[in-house]
Short mmCIF file of all heavy atoms in Angstrom, two decimals:
data_model
loop_
_atom_site.label_atom_id
_atom_site.label_comp_id
_atom_site.label_asym_id
_atom_site.label_seq_id
_atom_site.Cartn_x
_atom_site.Cartn_y
_atom_site.Cartn_z
N THR A 40 31.77 30.51 -50.47
CA THR A 40 31.04 30.87 -51.70
C THR A 40 31.22 32.35 -51.99
O THR A 40 31.45 32.75 -53.14
CB THR A 40 29.52 30.58 -51.52
OG1 THR A 40 29.38 29.39 -50.80
CG2 THR A 40 28.81 30.48 -52.84
N ILE A 109 -10.91 -4.44 -26.46
CA ILE A 109 -11.89 -5.01 -27.39
C ILE A 109 -12.57 -3.88 -28.17
O ILE A 109 -12.92 -2.85 -27.60
CB ILE A 109 -12.99 -5.77 -26.61
CG1 ILE A 109 -12.40 -6.56 -25.45
CG2 ILE A 109 -13.85 -6.62 -27.54
CD1 ILE A 109 -11.57 -7.76 -25.79
N PRO A 139 -8.13 17.62 -34.76
CA PRO A 139 -7.80 17.75 -33.34
C PRO A 139 -8.21 16.51 -32.55
O PRO A 139 -9.21 15.87 -32.86
CB PRO A 139 -8.63 18.97 -32.90
CG PRO A 139 -9.61 19.20 -33.96
CD PRO A 139 -9.16 18.55 -35.21
N ALA A 244 -1.19 -12.34 -15.16
CA ALA A 244 -2.08 -13.49 -15.21
C ALA A 244 -1.47 -14.70 -14.49
O ALA A 244 -2.18 -15.63 -14.10
CB ALA A 244 -2.37 -13.84 -16.66
N GLU A 261 8.66 -21.97 -13.25
CA GLU A 261 8.92 -22.89 -14.35
C GLU A 261 8.53 -22.26 -15.69
O GLU A 261 9.29 -22.31 -16.66
CB GLU A 261 8.06 -24.15 -14.15
CG GLU A 261 8.83 -25.43 -14.37
CD GLU A 261 7.97 -26.59 -13.94
OE1 GLU A 261 7.21 -27.09 -14.78
OE2 GLU A 261 8.03 -26.97 -12.74
N LEU A 299 0.34 0.91 -16.40
CA LEU A 299 -0.42 2.08 -16.85
C LEU A 299 -1.38 2.54 -15.75
O LEU A 299 -1.44 3.74 -15.42
CB LEU A 299 -1.19 1.73 -18.13
CG LEU A 299 -2.10 2.82 -18.67
CD1 LEU A 299 -1.31 4.05 -19.07
CD2 LEU A 299 -2.90 2.31 -19.88
N ARG A 323 6.80 -6.85 -10.98
CA ARG A 323 6.50 -6.62 -12.41
C ARG A 323 6.71 -5.16 -12.77
O ARG A 323 7.19 -4.82 -13.85
CB ARG A 323 5.05 -7.04 -12.73
CG ARG A 323 4.84 -8.53 -12.72
CD ARG A 323 3.46 -8.90 -13.19
NE ARG A 323 2.40 -8.48 -12.28
CZ ARG A 323 2.02 -9.16 -11.19
NH1 ARG A 323 2.62 -10.29 -10.89
NH2 ARG A 323 1.05 -8.71 -10.42
N GLU A 336 18.64 3.30 -23.15
CA GLU A 336 20.08 3.23 -23.44
C GLU A 336 20.31 2.74 -24.86
O GLU A 336 21.06 3.33 -25.63
CB GLU A 336 20.72 2.24 -22.48
CG GLU A 336 21.69 2.89 -21.53
CD GLU A 336 22.06 1.91 -20.44
OE1 GLU A 336 22.44 0.76 -20.77
OE2 GLU A 336 21.93 2.30 -19.27
N ILE A 411 89.90 59.41 -83.09
CA ILE A 411 89.73 60.05 -84.41
C ILE A 411 90.12 61.53 -84.33
O ILE A 411 90.88 62.04 -85.15
CB ILE A 411 88.28 59.90 -84.92
CG1 ILE A 411 88.01 58.43 -85.24
CG2 ILE A 411 87.98 60.76 -86.13
CD1 ILE A 411 86.57 58.08 -85.56
#
Side-chain angles (χ1 to χ4, degrees):
T40 321
I109 320 290
E261 225 171 89
L299 176 63
R323 288 186 292 277
E336 246 168 50
I411 292 172

